[in-house]
Amino acid sequence: MLELRDIHTYYGNIRALKGVTLEVARGEIVTLIGANGAGKSTTLMSICGIVPSRSGEIRFEGEPVQHLPPNRIVAKGICQVPEGRRIFPFLSVQENLDLGAFLRSDTARIKQDLEYVLDLFPILAQRRHQPGGTLSGGEQQMLAISRALMARPRLLLLDEPSLGLAPLVVKRIFEIIFKINMENNTTILLVEQNANQALRVAHRGYVMENGRITLSASSEALLADEGVRKAYLGI
Ligand code: ATP
């Protein structure tokens, strides 16, 4: 479904991605793990066109997308939940969700999707008319995921969904990631520092170091790998 071939991305003169090659098949949950500054967020930013790659190729469902602007990439079915949620704090929960469906015109399906996300996160139904900025961190993460789902993505990019959340909320967020993948058949590329949880939910994983992919294997193999256990699982 998604293929990155030899992607190089820069911030001015800083080379953040140094030839990233990876792929995600339809229906998979794939995780990208690695230390701070490894280039995980930049990989997602390059896929969705916010920080375009300077060379290499990104194909989505066989079509090159690396030269498209972000709005065209969203319209093709890729949606990102950014690190730090980035909800609209002064808009209500409902308005945040409405904006997720901004590019759509299939009113009946939008209504169904709204019911689906409010069912997924009942707390958002209770908070529907409240400004997004008054929600707790965990609730804001739920809103950010729901807003992305309102775009009905075929590929969902999740950037550090567990960052700064209490353990019980983290558990709930990972359960929901699993559910969205199973029930909605949404393919997921998940960036996480919480490698343990990420590998438990994902089918496969990539390890990233200094702008490069250094390891690629099934989640079971990565969970059992001595180097991964020492560097990323704290075991
Ligand atoms: P983290 O888990 O801390 O978010 P990451 O693996 O997602 O890390 P990136 O945020 O992709 O890493 O950063 C990759 C490299 O690019 C780092 O060296 C970082 O300092 C640099 N970088 C990221 N954003 C910018 C920016 N806006 N301007 C300049 N350099 C940046």
Side-chain angles (χ1 to χ4, degrees):
M1 184 178 221
L2 177 77
E3 291 179 272
L4 273 67
R5 292 274 166 263
D6 198 22
I7 288 298
H8 292 256
T9 302
Y10 290 72
Y11 295 99
N13 290 329
I14 299 168
R15 199 153 64 112
L17 302 186
K18 305 167 184 167
V20 170
T21 294
L22 63 81
E23 52 192 44
V24 181
R26 191 184 313 278
E28 277 192 310
I29 303 180
V30 173
T31 186
L32 194 52
I33 60 173
N36 275 330
K40 306 180 299 297
S41 298
T42 306
T43 303
L44 297 191
M45 297 289 204
S46 290
I47 296 168
C48 62
I50 295 171
V51 185
S53 52
R54 208 174 275 182
S55 65
E57 191 174 43
I58 303 177
R59 284 181 173 264
F60 179 59
E61 296 182 323
E63 246 186 275
V65 293
Q66 75 271 17
H67 300 305
L68 296 180
N71 60 318
R72 299 268 311 276
I73 295 176
V74 173
K76 290 211 173 286
I78 301 182
C79 202
Q80 187 184 1
V81 180
E83 187 176 332
R85 356 278 188 213
R86 304 280 187 102
I87 56 136
F88 300 106
F90 301 115
L91 298 185
S92 69
V93 165
Q94 179 67 56
E95 288 164 335
N96 270 275
L97 294 172
D98 291 344
L99 280 173
F102 186 74
L103 292 175
R104 298 175 60 187
S105 51
D106 50 343
T107 323
R109 296 290 290 276
I110 293 175
K111 196 161 168 276
Q112 272 177 17
D113 288 343
L114 181 64
E115 279 165 19
Y116 176 77
V117 298
L118 295 179
D119 191 45
L120 211 53
F121 298 114
I123 189 78
L124 297 182
Q126 288 173 32
R127 304 276 192 268
R128 211 157 157 173
H129 303 294
Q130 207 168 300
T134 61
L135 300 181
S136 72
E139 290 161 358
Q140 290 191 19
Q141 186 62 58
M142 294 172 195
L143 178 57
I145 294 174
S146 300
R147 182 182 57 184
L149 290 177
M150 289 302 294
R152 201 169 249 278
R154 290 195 298 287
L155 174 65
L156 186 64
L157 310 176
L158 293 172
D159 196 350
E160 303 268 8
S162 78
L163 195 71
L165 303 182
L168 264 180
V169 185
V170 171
K171 187 167 170 279
R172 178 82 190 122
I173 295 287
F174 279 101
E175 282 166 5
I176 291 291
I177 292 171
F178 184 72
K179 201 168 168 189
I180 294 168
N181 174 254
M182 289 292 284
E183 281 181 359
N184 232 11
N185 201 25
T186 307
T187 306
I188 296 176
L189 178 56
L190 168 67
V191 159
E192 259 300 337
Q193 284 204 32
N194 189 338
N196 200 354
Q197 293 268 19
L199 288 169
R200 279 172 205 288
V201 78
H203 302 102
R204 290 190 300 116
Y206 289 93
V207 177
M208 200 164 190
E209 284 171 31
N210 287 319
R212 292 187 174 92
I213 301 289
T214 52
L215 199 55
S216 155
S218 70
S219 296
E220 294 77 29
L222 289 174
L223 280 166
D225 183 277
E226 188 78 14
V228 171
R229 289 164 73 85
K230 274 203 184 117
Y232 304 109
L233 304 179
I235 302 172

Coordinates of all heavy atoms in Angstrom, one line a residue, residues 10-12 14-17 33-45 51 83 159-160 163 191-193 208 211, ligand 1:
Y10 N 15.6 16.9 4.3 CA 16.5 17.9 4.9 C 15.7 18.9 5.6 O 14.6 19.3 5.2 CB 17.4 18.6 3.9 CG 18.4 17.7 3.2 CD1 18.1 16.7 2.3 CD2 19.8 17.9 3.5 CE1 19.0 16.0 1.7 CE2 20.8 17.2 2.9 CZ 20.4 16.2 2.0 OH 21.4 15.4 1.4
Y11 N 16.2 19.5 6.7 CA 15.8 20.8 7.2 C 16.9 21.7 7.0 O 17.9 21.7 7.7 CB 15.5 20.7 8.7 CG 14.4 19.7 9.1 CD1 14.7 18.4 9.5 CD2 13.1 20.1 9.1 CE1 13.6 17.5 9.9 CE2 12.0 19.2 9.4 CZ 12.3 18.0 9.8 OH 11.3 17.1 10.2
G12 N 16.8 22.6 5.9 CA 17.9 23.4 5.5 C 19.1 22.5 5.2 O 19.0 21.7 4.3
I14 N 20.4 20.4 7.4 CA 20.5 19.2 8.3 C 19.8 18.1 7.6 O 18.7 18.2 7.1 CB 19.7 19.5 9.6 CG1 20.4 20.6 10.4 CG2 19.6 18.2 10.5 CD1 19.5 21.2 11.5
R15 N 20.6 17.0 7.4 CA 20.1 15.8 6.7 C 19.4 14.9 7.8 O 20.0 14.3 8.6 CB 21.2 15.1 6.1 CG 20.8 14.1 5.0 CD 21.9 13.9 4.0 NE 23.1 13.3 4.6 CZ 23.5 12.1 4.3 NH1 22.9 11.4 3.4 NH2 24.6 11.6 4.9
A16 N 18.0 14.9 7.8 CA 17.3 14.2 8.8 C 17.0 12.7 8.3 O 17.1 11.8 9.1 CB 16.0 14.9 9.1
L17 N 16.7 12.5 7.1 CA 16.5 11.2 6.5 C 17.6 10.9 5.5 O 17.8 11.6 4.6 CB 15.1 11.0 5.9 CG 13.9 11.2 6.8 CD1 12.6 10.9 6.1 CD2 14.0 10.5 8.2
I33 N 10.2 2.4 15.4 CA 10.7 2.7 16.8 C 12.2 3.3 16.6 O 12.8 3.1 15.6 CB 10.7 1.5 17.7 CG1 11.5 0.4 17.2 CG2 9.2 1.1 17.9 CD1 11.6 -0.8 18.2
G34 N 12.6 4.0 17.7 CA 13.9 4.5 17.6 C 14.1 5.6 18.7 O 13.0 6.1 19.2
A35 N 15.3 6.1 18.9 CA 15.6 7.1 20.0 C 15.1 8.4 19.5 O 14.7 8.6 18.3 CB 17.0 7.1 20.3
N36 N 15.2 9.4 20.4 CA 14.9 10.8 20.1 C 15.8 11.3 18.9 O 17.0 11.0 18.9 CB 15.3 11.7 21.3 CG 14.2 11.8 22.3 OD1 13.0 11.7 21.9 ND2 14.5 12.0 23.5
G37 N 15.2 11.9 18.0 CA 16.0 12.5 16.9 C 16.4 11.5 15.8 O 17.1 11.9 14.9
A38 N 15.9 10.3 15.9 CA 16.3 9.3 14.9 C 15.7 9.6 13.5 O 16.3 9.2 12.5 CB 15.8 7.9 15.3
G39 N 14.6 10.4 13.5 CA 14.0 10.7 12.2 C 12.6 10.1 12.0 O 12.1 10.1 10.9
K40 N 12.0 9.6 13.0 CA 10.7 9.0 12.9 C 9.6 10.0 12.5 O 8.9 9.7 11.5 CB 10.3 8.3 14.3 CG 11.4 7.4 14.8 CD 11.0 6.7 16.1 CE 10.7 7.7 17.3 NZ 11.9 8.5 17.7
S41 N 9.5 11.1 13.2 CA 8.5 12.1 12.9 C 8.7 12.6 11.5 O 7.8 12.9 10.7 CB 8.5 13.3 13.8 OG 8.2 12.8 15.1
T42 N 10.0 12.8 11.1 CA 10.3 13.4 9.8 C 9.8 12.4 8.7 O 9.4 12.8 7.6 CB 11.8 13.6 9.6 OG1 12.2 14.5 10.7 CG2 12.2 14.3 8.3
T43 N 9.9 11.1 9.0 CA 9.5 10.1 8.0 C 8.0 10.3 7.8 O 7.5 10.4 6.6 CB 9.7 8.7 8.5 OG1 11.1 8.5 8.8 CG2 9.3 7.6 7.5
L44 N 7.2 10.5 8.8 CA 5.7 10.7 8.7 C 5.5 12.0 8.0 O 4.6 12.1 7.1 CB 5.0 10.7 10.0 CG 5.1 9.4 10.9 CD1 4.1 9.5 12.0 CD2 4.8 8.2 10.0
M45 N 6.2 13.1 8.3 CA 6.1 14.4 7.7 C 6.4 14.3 6.2 O 5.7 15.0 5.4 CB 7.0 15.4 8.3 CG 6.8 15.7 9.8 SD 5.3 16.6 10.0 CE 5.7 17.3 11.6
V51 N 6.9 18.0 5.2 CA 8.3 18.2 4.9 C 8.7 17.4 3.8 O 9.1 16.2 3.9 CB 9.2 17.9 6.2 CG1 10.6 18.3 6.0 CG2 8.6 18.6 7.4
E83 N 2.3 14.5 16.4 CA 2.8 14.4 17.8 C 2.3 15.7 18.5 O 2.2 16.8 17.9 CB 4.4 14.5 17.8 CG 5.0 14.3 19.1 CD 6.5 14.2 19.0 OE1 7.1 13.8 18.0 OE2 7.1 14.6 20.0
D159 N 1.7 9.6 15.3 CA 3.0 10.0 15.8 C 2.9 10.1 17.3 O 2.3 11.0 17.9 CB 3.4 11.4 15.2 CG 4.9 11.6 15.4 OD1 5.5 10.9 16.2 OD2 5.4 12.6 14.8
E160 N 3.6 9.2 18.0 CA 3.7 9.1 19.5 C 2.3 9.3 20.2 O 2.2 10.2 21.0 CB 4.6 10.3 19.9 CG 6.0 10.2 19.3 CD 7.0 9.4 20.2 OE1 6.6 8.8 21.2 OE2 8.2 9.5 19.8
L163 N 2.5 9.6 24.1 CA 3.4 10.5 24.8 C 2.7 11.3 25.9 O 1.6 12.0 25.6 CB 3.9 11.5 23.7 CG 5.1 12.3 24.1 CD1 6.3 11.5 24.2 CD2 5.3 13.5 23.1
V191 N 4.4 5.5 14.9 CA 5.7 5.9 15.4 C 5.6 6.0 17.0 O 4.6 6.6 17.5 CB 6.1 7.3 14.9 CG1 7.1 8.0 15.8 CG2 6.6 7.2 13.5
E192 N 6.5 5.3 17.7 CA 6.4 5.3 19.1 C 7.7 5.2 19.8 O 8.7 4.6 19.3 CB 5.6 4.0 19.5 CG 4.2 4.3 19.9 CD 4.0 5.2 21.1 OE1 4.9 5.4 21.9 OE2 2.9 5.8 21.1
Q193 N 7.9 5.9 20.9 CA 9.0 5.7 21.8 C 8.7 4.5 22.8 O 9.6 3.9 23.3 CB 9.4 6.9 22.5 CG 10.1 7.9 21.6 CD 10.9 8.9 22.3 OE1 11.5 8.6 23.4 NE2 11.0 10.1 21.8
M208 N 14.8 2.6 13.7 CA 15.5 3.7 13.0 C 16.6 4.3 13.9 O 16.4 4.5 15.1 CB 14.4 4.8 12.7 CG 14.7 5.7 11.7 SD 13.3 6.6 11.1 CE 14.1 7.3 9.7
G211 N 18.6 8.7 11.1 CA 18.0 8.9 9.8 C 18.0 7.7 8.9 O 17.8 7.9 7.7
Ligands
ATP1 P1 11.4 12.4 18.6 O1 11.1 11.0 19.1 O2 12.3 13.1 19.6 O3 10.3 13.2 18.0 P2 12.2 11.6 15.9 O4 12.8 10.3 15.8 O5 10.8 11.8 15.6 O6 12.5 12.1 17.4 P3 12.7 13.8 14.2 O7 11.8 14.7 14.9 O8 12.2 13.3 12.9 O9 13.1 12.6 15.1 O10 14.1 14.5 14.0 C1 15.1 14.0 13.1 C2 16.3 15.1 13.0 O11 15.8 16.2 12.4 C3 16.8 15.5 14.4 O12 18.2 15.6 14.3 C4 16.1 16.8 14.6 O13 16.9 17.7 15.4 C5 16.0 17.4 13.2 N1 14.8 18.2 13.1 C6 13.5 17.9 13.3 N2 12.7 18.9 13.0 C7 13.5 20.0 12.6 C8 13.2 21.3 12.2 N3 12.0 21.8 12.1 N4 14.3 22.1 11.9 C9 15.6 21.6 12.0 N5 15.9 20.3 12.3 C10 14.9 19.5 12.7

